[in-house]
Amino acid sequence: MLGFELDMFKIKEKLENMQMELEEPGNSLWKATLHKLCMNRFAVFGIFVLLFLVLFSIFGPYMVAFNYYQQNLSLGASEPSLTHFFGTDQLGRDLLVRMMYGGRVSLAVGICATLVSLTIGVIYGALSGYFGGRVDSVMMRFVDVMYALPFTMLVIVLMVWLGRNFILIFVAIGAIEWLTMARIVRNEVYCIKKKEYIEAARAIGLPGWKILYRHIIPNLLGIVIVYVTLTIPRVMMIEAFLSFLGLGIQPPMSSWGLLIKDGAQVMEEYPWMLFFPSLVFSLTLFSLNFLGDGLRDALDPRSKE
Amino acid sequence: MFAFLLKRILHAIPVLLIVATITFFLIRAAPGGPFSENKIMPPEAIASINKHYGLDKPLYEQYFSYMWGLLKGDLGPSFQYPNRTVAGMIADAFPVSFELGIMAMVFAIFIGIVLGVTASTKPNSMRDYVCMFFAMIGICIPPFVLGPIIIWVFAIKFEWFNVSGWGTFHDAVLPVITLGAIYAANVARLGRAGMLEVLSQDYIRTARAKGVPEYKVILKHSIRGGLMGVVSYISPAIAGVITGSFVVESIFQIPGLGRLFVLAAFNRDYTMIMGTVLFFSVMILIFNTISDVIQILINPKRSFTEG
């Protein structure tokens, strides 16, 4: 009798130990991901650079005595100095402040357009993967057809149509960037759908939309986050590319693409006008790509370090 | 294979119809027309020009007459250059873009494979990091940043090249690098990943164990399998490189298709926009088909009978 109680005690102790082991860091998916991400030096570097750039763009303009449209024609283009850290352009506008405002535009475009593409892509992909069969093949066929369109050109045509409307730029870019997201989500949903817990949810009589909303979409989170960090730089690149061609943001407002374009036109005389915006823009793309790669490795259960 | 190609052509027709329709209505919805920006002409003259080109008719009538022309292979006259046809201007500009694209692709494949294979021979070493750092630069520095910067360095500071222009091989060096960089970077990454996979196979270990010199292991035993991924990347990339040269052509003032299109978009040259968009779509479809055919031919797991 006593022996049995001792056994029970031992088993209980063992169970507790197991529980302790389970709670150790690295056993929950998100903790493990975070841990792996922090081990990746490039990704951490990316996070810090991005944080700095966001703060720089949002709060920077309040700390500088100039604003983005304030001209100083008598000064003209001046080299970087103590009053104008990054110099000024031909109209005497402070480049540092213009870069901060440009950063606001670029980051806002990146985030908003990505959100638009995320919403469309996830809903479209989830529905396609969930329904499967005929619906799925028709929906995916449509995506295939869309892939064959010359996108850059359609964006340009859209820009000509929407003109100078800042907000519509987000929508236009997002409306075009959702295809890959839809494809990725669809494949993922297709796999999740076959798992036992979905079957269980169906067995207890959960309605279809609830299964989709409560059980499938949350499980897409990992792959979607990775893809979002890789979409943001792409979208920012498209915005900058449009502004560079003179079709995007219009002066006196500024964006990084526009500043690079202005700088490229006068690089012979005023090289700093090209260098600072190019540097910051490339740095942002670097950071986002490193972060995206890092997240992908961290969320990949096959990569155990 | 012929059935496959026929199927592809049949699939292409609705795609092109969709492209033509979307572009037509998008561009017509844009404010301003090809002649409204021109302040020099009196309104009566503008009205008569509009009438001449049929721009005064209802939109749906213009749409059907354009589509009818399209069926007959007629892309219409250019509105910006009154005595030129769209087809003629595309025929002039395309060889330039094609040449630029092919050179950029050759550059990208060569540099990419050298970087990728070099990196893979000693993973996680200094050599690997340096090669992959260059690849990352190619991915993170877009052409509109890279272009001006290499112009500044090589054309303005060192004066080795002309700032812009097109004609000699010498003129092509900077644009080719600018256009090819991102593709070189992707080839390098794909090449490295593919090579690493092959180099971890058993037969490579066997080859090493029996004393085959390392350069032979790489060049003879692994490179063919390792570069499969690169091969399947190349032909869609060719479509991208030939059709995606707007920025490079604008920066270097190259009279190719991309520049033609961007100028047309600025000038609301309706027929020219339509013509270039359709031409690009056809190019994309052709290269996608070629890429599928090549993949089916080299990959025994795929066949022409699949979807």
Side-chain angles (χ1 to χ4, degrees), chain A residues 13-243:
Chain A
E13 201 177 38
K14 228 177 204 168
L15 272 176
E16 267 166 13
N17 277 343
M18 274 167 72
Q19 205 129 30
M20 294 266 283
E21 265 169 37
L22 275 176
E23 276 162 16
E24 267 175 22
N27 275 328
S28 96
L29 174 71
W30 295 108
K31 264 187 196 164
T33 304
L34 197 67
H35 180 72
K36 270 194 222 164
L37 193 65
C38 291
M39 299 307 287
N40 185 332
R41 256 177 285 167
F42 288 118
V44 174
F45 166 79
I47 292 174
F48 278 111
V49 170
L50 289 173
L51 268 180
F52 174 74
L53 282 172
V54 169
L55 296 177
F56 170 84
S57 303
I58 295 176
F59 299 110
Y62 300 115
M63 297 176 194
V64 185
F66 313 97
N67 60 35
Y68 68 91
Y69 52 83
Q70 188 181 334
Q71 302 182 356
N72 184 350
L73 290 172
S74 59
L75 181 65
S78 69
E79 281 182 33
S81 63
L82 280 178
T83 36
H84 298 283
F85 289 121
F86 287 179
T88 55
D89 65 7
Q90 301 100 306
L91 299 173
R93 294 179 292 200
D94 182 66
L95 192 57
L96 177 63
V97 168
R98 286 184 68 70
M99 276 171 59
M100 289 167 176
Y101 276 93
R104 286 183 178 186
V105 171
S106 296
L107 294 171
V109 168
I111 291 167
C112 293
T114 306
L115 283 182
V116 173
S117 83
L118 176 76
T119 317
I120 303 177
V122 169
I123 293 176
Y124 192 93
L127 286 178
S128 176
Y130 183 73
F131 286 123
R134 236 195 152 71
V135 178
D136 177 43
S137 65
V138 168
M139 285 175 91
M140 282 299 119
R141 185 73 219 157
F142 177 70
V143 169
D144 287 344
V145 169
M146 297 285 284
Y147 259 113
L149 306 186
F151 273 113
T152 336
M153 306 182 91
L154 284 188
V155 173
I156 290 175
V157 172
L158 265 174
M159 291 313 302
V160 172
W161 173 33
L162 299 173
R164 317 309 188 199
N165 195 327
F166 179 66
I167 297 161
L168 285 176
I169 297 176
F170 305 147
V171 181
I173 297 177
I176 275 170
E177 273 292 317
W178 59 271
L179 293 174
T180 316
M181 179 70 90
R183 232 181 219 185
I184 291 175
V185 168
R186 182 249 167 211
N187 289 340
E188 196 69 13
V189 170
Y190 206 76
C191 296
I192 293 177
K193 205 174 70 172
K194 291 178 183 148
K195 298 260 167 72
E196 284 88 354
Y197 61 85
I198 300 297
E199 213 168 306
R202 199 165 294 149
I204 60 169
L206 229 54
W209 63 270
K210 220 170 189 176
I211 296 179
L212 203 56
Y213 174 71
R214 291 278 289 279
H215 297 282
I216 294 183
I217 289 183
N219 279 306
L220 296 171
L221 214 56
I223 197 153
V224 166
I225 288 177
V226 171
Y227 195 67
V228 161
T229 45
L230 295 174
T231 305
I232 295 175
R234 266 232 308 286
V235 171
M236 287 173 72
M237 207 119 101
I238 295 177
E239 181 276 318
F241 157 81
L242 289 172
S243 297

Side-chain angles (χ1 to χ4, degrees), chain B residues 156-207:
Chain B
I156 294 176
K157 283 290 136 182
F158 294 139
E159 298 185 352
W160 290 347
F161 298 99
N162 294 327
V163 171
S164 63
W166 185 254
T168 61
F169 180 73
H170 193 243
D171 282 336
V173 174
L174 295 184
V176 161
I177 294 175
T178 311
L179 186 57
I182 186 159
Y183 297 96
N186 284 329
V187 168
R189 294 182 114 194
L190 285 170
R192 175 178 179 271
M195 287 296 286
L196 281 181
E197 191 144 352
V198 170
L199 286 174
S200 66
Q201 301 277 326
D202 287 341
Y203 70 88
I204 296 297
R205 200 177 45 188
T206 311

Side-chain angles (χ1 to χ4, degrees), chain A residues 141 148-150 152-153 156-157 160-161 237 240-241 244-245 260 264 267-268 271 274-275 278 281 285-286 289 293, chain B residues 11 19 26 29-31 136 140 142 144-145 148 151-152 156 189 246-247 250-251 261 265-266 268 277 280-281 285:
Chain A
R141 185 73 219 157
L149 306 186
T152 336
M153 306 182 91
I156 290 175
V157 172
V160 172
W161 173 33
M237 207 119 101
F241 157 81
F244 183 85
L245 289 178
I260 293 170
M267 60 185 163
E268 218 164 328
L274 173 64
F275 286 152
S278 304
F281 186 64
L285 295 183
F286 258 107
N289 277 315
D293 280 357
Chain B
H11 276 310
V19 173
L26 274 183
M136 205 64 190
C140 294
F144 53 86
V145 174
I151 291 180
W152 191 80
I156 294 176
R189 294 182 114 194
F246 309 105
V247 166
S250 298
I251 296 174
F261 171 70
F266 269 115
R268 309 277 192 284
V277 170
F280 277 119
S281 312
L285 289 169

Side-chain angles (χ1 to χ4, degrees), chain B residues 53-72:
Chain B
Y53 286 117
L55 292 173
D56 55 340
K57 289 188 195 139
L59 200 57
Y60 70 91
E61 241 175 74
Q62 293 183 39
Y63 173 71
F64 285 115
S65 79
Y66 184 83
M67 293 308 258
W68 180 239
L70 208 57
L71 284 181
K72 292 186 292 187

Side-chain angles (χ1 to χ4, degrees), chain B residues 94-167:
Chain B
F94 175 63
V96 175
S97 289
F98 187 75
E99 199 182 334
L100 176 65
I102 293 296
M103 282 198 281
M105 214 54 224
V106 171
F107 164 80
I109 293 169
F110 181 73
I111 298 287
I113 288 180
V114 168
L115 280 180
V117 172
T118 314
S120 73
T121 52
K122 226 178 170 191
N124 298 323
S125 67
M126 205 58 216
R127 190 196 292 172
D128 184 18
Y129 289 144
V130 169
C131 290
M132 283 303 109
F133 180 73
F134 275 109
M136 205 64 190
I137 286 182
I139 286 172
C140 294
I141 300 189
F144 53 86
V145 174
L146 186 62
I149 285 180
I150 62 172
I151 291 180
W152 191 80
V153 174
F154 295 109
I156 294 176
K157 283 290 136 182
F158 294 139
E159 298 185 352
W160 290 347
F161 298 99
N162 294 327
V163 171
S164 63
W166 185 254

